[in-house]
Amino acid sequence: KTDDTSQCVPGFANVSRSVGFWYDRVSPSTFPSVAVVPAVQVNGAAISASAVTPTAFNLSFNAQGIATITSNYADAGMLRLNARYDGSSANNDTGLVMAGADLFVSHPAGLCVQSSQTCPLSASDSAYASCTLAYKAGQSMAATISAKAWQVDGDTDFCTGNGGLYNFVHANLPLSAQLLAPSGGAAPTLSPTSVNYVASAQANLNTNVVIDNVGVYRLSAGSRTLNYEGISLDLLHSQQQALGRIGPASFNLDSSAV
């Protein structure tokens, strides 16, 4: 405030000041053991994770006392960005301490869903009929789900080029299966219908799924309204290729007359 009118005015107007930044992980509070732990970046440079050794940036404040920064974090979770200004004799404000902090959430741009036995997506039953007979109905099938970072706007293939997120955690991440062939077939029963996605040094989750019927399917993970750290995300993504073909486990001969 001004001394004579008690009017609120910018503390820093049309000046440059050195401000220290650091960050805290809030959720999850720990990080998997990886060779390089992603750090929060401010103006393109990694900042400290400790209040004891903040990373200083010279910020230019405009006439309204506002300085703009850019920030980035190449993983998932809720974090706290902290800032602190300590006065100096050079700026005639020795003893002045100004601190602030705010929470932010970094979430996956998409999910990559993969299985070991696949065939190309098609629009015809005849094309799917040529897929390799890979599984039996009711047989356990390996699948991998990976939370992925942003690469470009409008991305639909999160299995190619997108970085993995080590620290994504989500209980009861929904799973679903879509019947691709035969046309007009019965909807499958998938088990399980959700998985607990945990932080991983491999940046993925390996699981097993079971489909109770024959055909060719497409496995999906996530939902259009996925709640992550209090934010509703449109995060439903499917395999880039088809799962299967799944055939009968056995045949039952009811009559010897053919």
Side-chain angles (χ1 to χ4, degrees):
K1 295 182 179 181
T2 59
D3 295 332
D4 53 349
T5 66
S6 296
Q7 180 183 0
C8 288
V9 296
F12 300 147
N14 299 316
V15 296
S16 294
R17 292 290 186 268
S18 179
V19 179
F21 289 87
W22 72 97
Y23 69 94
D24 307 305
R25 288 191 175 87
V26 177
S27 177
S29 59
T30 58
F31 203 87
S33 178
V34 296
V36 179
V37 177
V40 173
Q41 293 187 346
V42 169
N43 292 346
I47 65 171
S48 172
S50 171
V52 178
T53 56
T55 303
F57 291 87
N58 199 43
L59 303 183
S60 297
F61 292 84
N62 63 18
Q64 288 73 46
I66 298 172
T68 302
I69 64 170
T70 61
S71 62
N72 186 34
Y73 180 60
D75 213 287
M78 178 182 288
L79 300 99
R80 180 184 296 107
L81 181 62
N82 307 278
R84 175 184 169 116
Y85 171 77
D86 291 281
S88 65
S89 57
N91 294 323
N92 297 316
D93 55 5
T94 301
L96 175 65
V97 177
M98 302 172 68
D102 201 5
L103 296 173
F104 70 92
V105 173
S106 179
H107 62 78
L111 300 171
C112 170
V113 184
Q114 296 174 306
S115 58
S116 57
Q117 299 291 332
T118 61
C119 61
L121 293 175
S122 176
S124 69
D125 283 5
S126 60
Y128 285 128
S130 65
C131 293
T132 301
L133 185 60
Y135 302 104
K136 299 174 182 178
Q139 180 182 358
S140 180
M141 301 173 288
T144 300
I145 304 166
S146 309
K148 295 293 188 174
W150 176 90
Q151 186 180 30
V152 293
D153 289 339
D155 202 352
T156 58
D157 180 5
F158 292 97
C159 296
T160 304
N162 302 75
L165 304 183
Y166 303 105
N167 232 21
F168 179 65
V169 174
H170 198 287
N172 300 316
L173 181 71
L175 298 180
S176 58
Q178 173 195 1
L179 175 68
L180 300 177
S183 300
T189 298
L190 175 70
S191 178
T193 56
S194 66
V195 290
N196 290 326
Y197 197 109
V198 298
S200 163
Q202 288 71 46
N204 61 35
L205 175 72
N206 294 315
T207 188
N208 290 284
V209 298
V210 173
I211 294 178
D212 70 340
N213 213 333
V214 299
V216 179
Y217 298 88
R218 196 178 188 191
L219 188 64
S220 300
S223 84
R224 295 294 184 192
T225 55
L226 189 74
N227 185 287
Y228 177 67
E229 298 292 358
I231 297 175
S232 181
L233 302 177
D234 182 352
L235 199 70
L236 176 64
H237 296 284
S238 306
Q239 287 178 285
Q240 294 297 309
Q241 291 191 306
L243 168 65
R245 189 168 42 103
I246 300 175
S250 63
F251 291 95
N252 183 32
L253 183 62
D254 290 330
S255 173
S256 59
V258 178

